[in-house]
């Protein structure tokens, strides 16, 4: 390479860097990335103390990374390049044809939380039903790339079943596996679909000795849902999901106890936002109380749950006159005591396996 060509290359590189530096100055900082579905780092406040202890430079590095001009475009380009090189795993998410399936990477609290679950059955005389939901990595494991690391959820569920003899087991795993040829999980999100939630509801009704109501006709309320796996993987060329509803709000009311608000089964404003799954009930909250004066049975159900129950609740509302949806991540209380004080007829522990094996708040089931 001649000196002239070296100079031209150096000049182009300098112009490139200067251009991005100028863009960084001219473009306003973003507070939220809808593509990644997370808050972005902001410019840290300077102090000599933070400079000396290293926190300022660390936070400044995060800020520059998050506010890099055209960050979303570059991330998508990087992922496409890696895909061309044959990569199939992106930030813990596998690309399996036209769908995304995430790994279970942390199982550190599985045994401990099983112990808390067993303690719950010993602390209360109220019947306890347990329905742990396998993820798509188990139900659709044949779609994973050859050699992909995958936690054996089926074997683990059998182990839990044998470790909690005081509970009534709800075979959610069997129900989903029997319908693996249907769209029981979203392709871009970790949650089950409304159809998957219906099969979970049917498994609970069967365990309770009741006949599940037929599914009925669904209504498509969104055709452009991009979920959490789309955000975290950087795989931004897959087609969006659709969101269906099968249960009309009717006479059902949902009380958000923390916010002091009451609404129907769905909050439609979320359909215009990134987190469209939050349109079920209204997203994560410490405690929802769902009431239906026209329910099939005058019974109260306590659901100790994660976000999978958001799309399950509409089906449950057709049978139970009152459902308390308790999220221990935000409402830290003794489950047995809460059930007793609120006159619950039954308790349903409903978590995804992924959340259950790493949940740090399951201790409240054992108190």
């Amino acid at each position: 390479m001649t000196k002239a060509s070296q100079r031209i290359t150096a000049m182009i590189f300098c112009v490139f860097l200067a251009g991005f530096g100028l863009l960084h100055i001219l473009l306003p900082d973003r507070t939220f990335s809808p593509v990644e579905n997370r808050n972005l780092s902001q410019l840290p406040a300077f102090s000599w103390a933070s400079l000396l202890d290293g926190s300022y430079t660390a936070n400044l590095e995060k800020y520059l990374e998050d506010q890099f001009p055209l960050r979303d475009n570059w991330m998508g380009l990087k992922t496409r390049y890696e895909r061309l090189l044959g990569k199939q795993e992106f930030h813990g998410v596998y690309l399996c044809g036209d769908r995304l399936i995430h790994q279970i990477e942390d199982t550190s609290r599985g045994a401990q939380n099983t112990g808390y679950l067993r303690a719950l059955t010993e602390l209360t005389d109220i019947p306890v039903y347990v329905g742990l939901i396998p993820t798509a990595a188990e139900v659709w494991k044949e779609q994973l790339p050859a050699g992909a690391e995958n936690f054996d959820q089926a074997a683990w569920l059998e182990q839990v079943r044998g470790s909690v003899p005081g509970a009534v087991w709800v075979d959610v795993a069997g129900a989903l596996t029997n319908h693996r040829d249907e769209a029981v999980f979203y392709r871009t999100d970790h949650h089950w679909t409304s159809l998957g939630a219906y099969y979970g509801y049917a498994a609970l009704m069967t365990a309770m000795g009741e006949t599940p109501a037929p599914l009925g006709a669904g209504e498509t309320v969104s055709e452009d849902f991009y979920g959490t796996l789309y955000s975290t993987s950087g795989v931004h060329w897959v087609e969006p999901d659709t969101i269906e509803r099968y249960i009309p709000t009717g006479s059902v009311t949902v009380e958000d106890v923390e916010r002091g608000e009451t609404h129907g089964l769905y909050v439609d404003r979320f359909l215009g936002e990134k987190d469209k799954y939050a349109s079920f009930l209204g997203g994560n909250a410490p405690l929802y109380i769902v009431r239906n004066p026209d329910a099939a049975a005058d019974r109260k159900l306590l659901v100790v749950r994660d976000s999978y129950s958001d799309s399950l609740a509409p089906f449950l509302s057709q049978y139970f006159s009152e459902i308390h949806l308790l999220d221990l991540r935000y409402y830290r209380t003794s489950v047995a005591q809460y059930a007793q004080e609120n006159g619950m007829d039954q308790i349903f522990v409903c978590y995804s396996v992924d959340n259950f094996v790493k949940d740090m708040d399951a201790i409240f089931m054992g108190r």
Side-chain angles (χ1 to χ4, degrees), residues 50 79 83 106 186 237 251 329:
S50 63
T79 305
R83 182 70 185 99
D106 181 6
Y186 292 109
W237 58 86
S251 59
R329 293 173 296 179

Side-chain angles (χ1 to χ4, degrees), residues 101 134-142 144 150-155 177:
I101 298 177
T135 68
E138 176 63 31
V139 176
W140 289 333
K141 57 187 174 184
E142 73 282 354
L144 293 172
N150 193 29
F151 174 56
D152 190 344
Q153 298 178 54
T177 301

Side-chain angles (χ1 to χ4, degrees), residues 217-287:
E219 175 193 8
T220 299
V221 294
S222 175
E223 296 181 335
D224 59 349
F225 172 42
Y226 292 101
T228 55
L229 304 184
Y230 173 91
S231 299
T232 58
S233 67
V235 178
H236 297 159
W237 58 86
V238 294
E239 294 297 317
D241 279 297
T242 60
I243 294 179
E244 283 81 29
R245 295 173 183 168
Y246 292 89
I247 303 297
T249 289
S251 59
V252 181
T253 61
V254 178
E255 179 186 357
D256 185 332
V257 175
E258 181 184 46
R259 295 185 179 90
E261 301 173 354
T262 300
H263 50 74
L265 283 171
Y266 312 106
V267 182
D268 285 343
R269 67 178 176 83
F270 285 106
L271 294 176
E273 300 181 11
K274 171 66 170 63
D275 186 13
K276 291 177 173 55
Y277 184 79
S279 62
F280 293 103
L281 299 185
N284 291 330
L287 177 65

Side-chain angles (χ1 to χ4, degrees), residues 101-341:
I101 298 177
H102 75 291
Q103 300 170 281
I104 293 182
E105 299 180 302
D106 181 6
T107 62
S108 59
R109 293 182 175 270
Q112 187 177 46
N113 291 347
T114 300
Y116 295 142
L117 185 56
R118 182 169 56 251
L120 173 61
T121 65
E122 298 166 353
L123 288 168
T124 182
D125 294 329
I126 300 171
V128 176
Y129 295 79
V130 176
L132 299 181
I133 307 164
T135 68
E138 176 63 31
V139 176
W140 289 333
K141 57 187 174 184
E142 73 282 354
Q143 298 185 27
L144 293 172
E149 294 184 14
N150 193 29
F151 174 56
D152 190 344
Q153 298 178 54
W156 183 82
L157 284 168
E158 282 302 312
Q159 182 180 347
V160 174
R161 184 174 187 172
S163 301
V164 191
V168 179
W169 190 257
V170 181
D171 189 15
V172 178
L176 293 175
T177 301
N178 289 340
H179 295 276
R180 63 162 65 92
D181 294 333
E182 302 173 45
V184 292
F185 290 97
Y186 292 109
R187 292 180 300 99
T188 69
D189 193 70
H190 64 287
H191 291 105
W192 56 9
T193 60
S194 294
L195 181 62
Y198 169 77
Y199 292 128
Y201 147 81
L204 175 62
M205 290 292 98
T206 300
M208 290 181 170
E210 303 292 342
T211 301
L215 180 60
E219 175 193 8
T220 299
V221 294
S222 175
E223 296 181 335
D224 59 349
F225 172 42
Y226 292 101
T228 55
L229 304 184
Y230 173 91
S231 299
T232 58
S233 67
V235 178
H236 297 159
W237 58 86
V238 294
E239 294 297 317
D241 279 297
T242 60
I243 294 179
E244 283 81 29
R245 295 173 183 168
Y246 292 89
I247 303 297
T249 289
S251 59
V252 181
T253 61
V254 178
E255 179 186 357
D256 185 332
V257 175
E258 181 184 46
R259 295 185 179 90
E261 301 173 354
T262 300
H263 50 74
L265 283 171
Y266 312 106
V267 182
D268 285 343
R269 67 178 176 83
F270 285 106
L271 294 176
E273 300 181 11
K274 171 66 170 63
D275 186 13
K276 291 177 173 55
Y277 184 79
S279 62
F280 293 103
L281 299 185
N284 291 330
L287 177 65
Y288 284 121
I289 301 179
V290 181
R291 298 182 176 90
N292 184 5
D294 300 323
D298 185 19
R299 289 158 66 178
K300 292 184 177 183
L301 176 69
L302 172 61
V303 181
V304 185
R305 59 90 172 216
D306 60 16
S307 56
Y308 279 65
S309 291
D310 292 358
S311 54
L312 174 66
F315 297 107
L316 298 177
S317 71
Q318 303 305 288
Y319 182 80
F320 297 94
S321 60
E322 190 168 303
I323 307 164
H324 292 223
L325 294 143
L326 187 66
D327 193 327
L328 296 177
R329 293 173 296 179
Y330 314 111
Y331 198 111
R332 300 182 174 185
T333 187
S334 163
V335 172
Q337 182 177 344
Y338 183 93
Q340 183 66 36
E341 291 177 351

